[in-house]
Amino acid sequence: MARKKRTPEEFSIDPAAQQMLIRADELGIGTAFTRADDMAPCPIGADGMCCKICGMGPCRLTKDGSTGICGATIDTIQARNLIRAISAGAAAHSDHGRDMAFTLKAVANDETEGYVIRDVAKLRTIAQIYDIPIEGRPPKEIANDLADLYIAQFGQQKGEVVLIKRAPEKRQKIWREQGVIPRGIDREVVEALHRTHIGDDQDPEHILQHAIRTALGDGWGGSLLATDISDILFGTPAPVLGQANLGVLKENMVNVVVHGHEPTLSEMIVAASQDPEIIAYAKAAGADGVNLSGICCTANEILMRQGIPAAGNFLQQELAILTGSVEAMVVDVQCIMQALVGLARNFHTKIITTSPKVKIKGATHIQFDEHHALTIAKDILRTAIDNFQNRGETKIPNVREDLIPGFSHEYINYMLGGSYRSSFRPLNDAVMSGRIRGIAAIVGCNNPRSQHDYLHTYITRELLKQDVLVVETGCGAIASAKLGLLLGEAGLDQVGPGLREICETIGIPPVLHMGSCVDNTRILTVLTQIVAEGGLGDDIDQVPAVGLAPEWMSEKALSIGAYCVASGAYVIFGGTSPVSGMPDRVADSDLVSHLISDGWEKIYGGKLEFIADPDEMIRKTLAHIDKKRAALGLPEYDPNRYGRSGDARMLELEELPWTERREALYGVAAD
Ligand code: NFS
């Protein structure tokens, strides 16, 4: 039976994406969207029921009671598949962190070109957490010690990863009792691979316990230190004006799109693009200059810190090339589609790989090395500029939206009280009073199996109406940015009255963009600080908060989900479950689903669920928030209680005649 082909409107809610998908169709070029239509997912693999870890298989388990050739049960196979995915995700995030730590070490020892320590205050704050002496020492000396400490966390064999101590104490105790504190970041990933080799760990519960330990090595290890070092080297984000969507590409300029994840390269390309020598080179080539933009989490890194525009999220990487206006797409690691190279052959775009870990056949490889960062960044830009003359017909959608990203936890702390009284107190108070009903972190990828950006933005909008403060990272944040939800004034007419009051008082958008996927650790830090501030429980699982990844597709997302659950959060993923187990055909295939939801909830207070229906996701999010409010003894959320004070009310009152205004304001009846 032929599969249904979706229209551009069904592929994406984003008008810029729709325009490019129409262009792709006219040119007869395939994209991830059309390939998703052409290829039905394998139902056995999708449900985690296929085992291919040895050469006796692959074994496909589709009947009640069936086992693999070695006797492995459905439950064991599902648990093994899940931990392998989580480990790959944790490895990707953490290896990014390792490279950041090496860069910090090299900067500390004057071995790099172009980098400086931008945030000395954060360096000192972080160093102090680990008792690294700071008084009277130059920043580079402190940075050297911190780099050594962080590098050591990867290869540590015994004991505890030091970053764990940044979690609430009660949480650390749970982890210690469960034996899931990572000993070393690399060790847990290696052990996950060992345990899942043929003939090793075959108890699903035991396998999943190690999945938690591996994921914690990501969230409270590799990712957390990646965020720390990025801030130290490139600056801790604070609000800045930016733009998002394909309309940020420019006709009259050399368009260079940086795509991937690590800020080391992209930050240097930002610096190189502003170099007078490069600008002159671009002008000599007939362009007005170099226009830089980002895709995926690289976009988030340079958007948060420099206000460099985001051309789009994961599903827009091909669409950017389809504009015909991109001279070079410079990629490093993660979320880079192999299809880019073939697609680029239809245009003049050069795909430039830069990581020693990532090569794509047909791409130009210019290897990045932090020791010669600025020189290499300029080489890359010259290659792009040389390509400007080869540009053919262009079609750039005139669609872009302003946004204000840059909400690091340090900034959130500051914005709530200013320099002298910075504190999470106002946020805690707002949640306690019910002005803010709760907090939702909406994060993660795009997935061409669902309508691009729809789930992210539908859920975001609906939760805002319910006075839920939303924090976002990754491709989800770019989805909201494109819809104008990351703007102060512009987004506020779409939010509930209590939340609106808070946003107006503090002067923030209702959706706070907190960075890249690695920066999900910022959300963990915010939750920890909320707990430390008091009034919302003494551990993360008591805070009225939920994590959602409505359009997830990557293994990194699964690792994030697992470490958030272990940290006490209720986490809802959209789409399909990788461990759902074909319940229509195999009656008893729900053990792993049960273990990661109810099972993990009993131990950690958080659980992982896969829910396809967005309304059900919203309903369960609100139910969880209300349950946590009740458990804390907070007043029941009342949508009509707030929203009658502050700027909005004053503006309304100004419309009234004085006597009525006086009565409304002071309760003094008209004479
Ligand atoms: Ni996160 Fe960033 Fe996007 Fe998903 Fe990929 S870019 S690290 S994995 S697709 S959010």
Side-chain angles (χ1 to χ4, degrees):
M1 193 179 76
R3 283 170 57 77
K4 183 184 173 299
K5 303 275 184 224
R6 289 172 292 172
T7 63
E9 290 75 22
E10 288 168 328
F11 279 143
S12 175
I13 61 162
D14 174 354
Q18 291 166 4
Q19 285 179 35
M20 285 305 99
L21 288 166
I22 292 167
R23 183 166 206 222
D25 195 39
E26 284 165 2
L27 298 172
I29 296 173
T31 61
F33 296 89
T34 56
R35 290 190 294 274
D37 272 1
D38 292 343
M39 187 189 293
C42 162
I44 304 163
D47 291 336
M49 313 271 276
C50 172
C51 181
K52 53 185 178 63
I53 64 170
C54 83
M56 296 191 287
C59 297
R60 300 175 307 151
L61 275 56
T62 55
K63 293 192 194 77
D64 275 337
S66 58
T67 68
I69 290 173
C70 68
T73 62
I74 289 169
D75 305 328
T76 299
I77 288 171
Q78 283 183 334
R80 281 200 301 228
N81 287 336
L82 183 61
I83 192 179
R84 282 205 162 194
I86 288 172
S87 304
H93 276 153
S94 300
D95 206 34
H96 166 167
R98 181 198 326 269
D99 284 340
M100 298 302 305
F102 283 144
T103 305
L104 183 66
K105 173 87 182 163
V107 173
N109 290 282
D110 292 321
E111 291 166 1
T112 59
E113 183 192 60
Y115 299 109
V116 292
I117 295 173
R118 284 246 178 85
D119 193 339
V120 175
K122 178 146 187 175
L123 169 68
R124 290 165 67 91
T125 306
I126 299 288
Q128 264 181 316
I129 297 174
Y130 309 114
D131 301 323
I132 294 173
I134 59 166
E135 286 321 321
R137 299 182 79 199
K140 283 185 180 164
E141 243 180 75
I142 304 171
N144 185 57
D145 286 359
L146 182 64
D148 283 343
L149 179 74
Y150 274 177
I151 290 166
Q153 302 312 303
F154 292 91
Q156 184 171 289
Q157 301 303 320
K158 290 185 176 160
E160 297 182 350
V161 164
V162 287
L163 294 97
I164 290 292
K165 70 195 262 193
R166 289 161 72 174
E169 273 180 24
K170 206 170 161 196
R171 187 68 13 198
Q172 295 178 42
K173 194 161 165 272
I174 295 172
W175 292 337
R176 245 168 237 126
E177 281 164 11
Q178 292 298 320
V180 295
I181 297 198
R183 295 154 292 188
I185 297 165
D186 291 352
R187 177 166 183 187
E188 308 314 344
V189 175
V190 169
E191 188 170 314
L193 291 175
H194 179 190
R195 284 189 191 215
T196 53
H197 181 273
I198 165 77
D200 278 314
D201 199 358
Q202 300 170 41
D203 173 347
E205 219 172 322
H206 193 233
I207 293 170
L208 293 172
Q209 182 203 27
H210 188 69
I212 291 287
R213 179 149 57 170
T214 310
L216 285 174
D218 172 0
W220 296 91
S223 277
L224 183 50
L225 67 85
T227 298
D228 284 348
I229 299 173
S230 302
D231 286 354
I232 289 167
L233 287 179
F234 306 119
T236 301
V240 53
L241 182 65
Q243 282 194 322
N245 218 339
L246 295 171
V248 305
L249 297 169
K250 296 213 169 98
E251 283 292 351
N252 52 344
M253 294 181 94
V254 175
N255 287 307
V256 176
V257 179
V258 283
H259 168 26
H261 283 79
E262 296 180 342
T264 28
L265 167 69
S266 49
E267 284 282 345
M268 215 33 76
I269 292 186
V270 174
S273 71
Q274 290 152 5
D275 189 297
E277 178 198 329
I278 291 293
I279 295 169
Y281 195 73
K283 290 206 163 138
D288 289 352
V290 175
N291 178 45
L292 213 58
S293 60
I295 294 266
C296 281
C297 283
T298 288
N300 288 320
E301 297 279 358
I302 51 177
L303 175 68
M304 290 273 282
R305 295 195 175 88
Q306 318 272 1
I308 301 292
N313 46 14
F314 175 71
L315 280 178
Q316 284 173 289
Q317 54 188 289
E318 292 176 290
L319 309 184
I321 294 173
L322 273 154
T323 63
S325 70
V326 176
E327 274 58 53
M329 185 171 276
V330 185
V331 304
D332 53 23
V333 293
Q334 302 167 22
C335 302
I336 298 145
M337 291 190 197
Q338 189 170 354
L340 291 178
V341 171
L343 176 77
R345 278 196 205 108
N346 296 288
F347 304 92
H348 72 307
T349 308
K350 270 192 191 308
I351 306 294
I352 303 177
T353 51
T354 58
S355 165
K357 294 167 202 162
V358 175
K359 284 194 176 183
I360 308 175
K361 250 198 160 13
T364 306
H365 190 73
I366 303 180
Q367 193 147 313
F368 183 69
D369 170 1
E370 66 262 31
H371 301 95
H372 314 285
L374 195 57
T375 308
I376 296 168
K378 284 186 190 169
D379 271 359
I380 290 172
L381 290 182
R382 276 193 214 97
T383 308
I385 294 166
D386 289 343
N387 197 24
F388 184 64
Q389 56 170 349
N390 300 322
R391 197 189 267 192
E393 193 204 339
T394 60
K395 190 167 180 190
I396 302 174
N398 188 20
V399 182
R400 70 192 78 75
E401 185 56 84
D402 288 345
L403 73 144
I404 309 214
F407 292 90
S408 53
H409 54 85
E410 286 89 346
Y411 186 80
I412 294 177
N413 195 25
Y414 163 78
M415 80 189 183
L416 291 168
S419 300
Y420 297 107
R421 286 189 297 123
S422 64
S423 135
F424 271 73
R425 194 69 255 154
L427 180 64
N428 282 31
D429 285 346
V431 175
M432 289 167 72
S433 68
R435 278 195 168 84
I436 293 178
R437 184 173 184 173
I439 301 163
I442 304 179
V443 307
C445 324
N446 295 139
N447 188 328
R449 297 272 171 218
S450 67
Q451 193 183 23
H452 172 225
D453 289 349
Y454 169 71
L455 292 172
H456 279 301
T457 51
Y458 176 71
I459 293 169
T460 300
R461 283 176 149 159
E462 292 305 309
L463 290 177
L464 291 177
K465 285 183 204 158
Q466 299 289 331
D467 289 308
V468 174
L469 177 70
V470 177
V471 297
E472 297 193 346
T473 59
C475 291
I478 300 177
S480 286
K482 290 186 289 174
L483 270 194
L485 294 168
L486 302 190
L487 278 174
E489 291 296 296
L492 287 185
D493 54 342
Q494 303 169 40
V495 312
L499 175 62
R500 181 177 179 148
E501 270 188 13
I502 297 294
C503 293
E504 282 172 343
T505 309
I506 304 175
I508 51 166
V511 181
L512 302 182
H513 185 336
M514 295 190 70
S516 64
C517 262
V518 150
D519 294 335
N520 280 316
T521 61
R522 294 190 201 278
I523 300 173
L524 295 180
T525 306
V526 164
L527 290 168
T528 304
Q529 290 182 337
I530 286 175
V531 167
E533 186 59 47
L536 291 174
D538 57 3
D539 195 358
I540 293 173
D541 64 331
Q542 294 172 46
V543 180
V546 177
L548 299 111
E551 299 180 28
W552 80 278
M553 62 87 201
S554 80
E555 291 169 315
K556 288 178 290 173
L558 290 171
S559 177
I560 294 164
Y563 74 62
C564 286
V565 169
S567 303
Y570 176 26
V571 177
I572 301 174
F573 274 44
T576 54
S577 162
V579 292
S580 68
M582 308 178 87
D584 48 331
R585 285 161 70 178
V586 186
D588 59 352
S589 64
D590 62 351
L591 179 76
V592 171
S593 295
H594 178 75
L595 286 173
I596 62 174
S597 53
D598 299 349
W600 278 350
E601 190 174 30
K602 277 198 196 89
I603 305 169
Y604 303 108
K607 59 181 171 178
L608 180 57
E609 285 183 349
F610 292 83
I611 301 170
D613 173 16
D615 291 313
E616 178 74 355
M617 285 189 221
I618 293 162
R619 199 185 58 69
K620 288 200 140 184
T621 298
L622 295 173
H624 182 82
I625 284 173
D626 290 345
K627 189 174 94 185
K628 293 293 170 185
R629 292 188 65 86
L632 287 167
L634 300 179
E636 204 174 313
Y637 165 72
D638 173 1
N640 302 314
R641 181 147 177 221
Y642 295 107
R644 302 297 303 154
S645 62
D647 297 353
R649 188 176 180 221
M650 290 311 290
L651 288 175
E652 267 173 42
L653 292 179
E654 265 177 28
E655 306 283 310
L656 300 175
W658 160 238
T659 46
E660 286 176 42
R661 204 185 324 158
R662 186 175 56 171
E663 185 177 350
L665 278 173
Y666 309 114
V668 182
D671 302 326

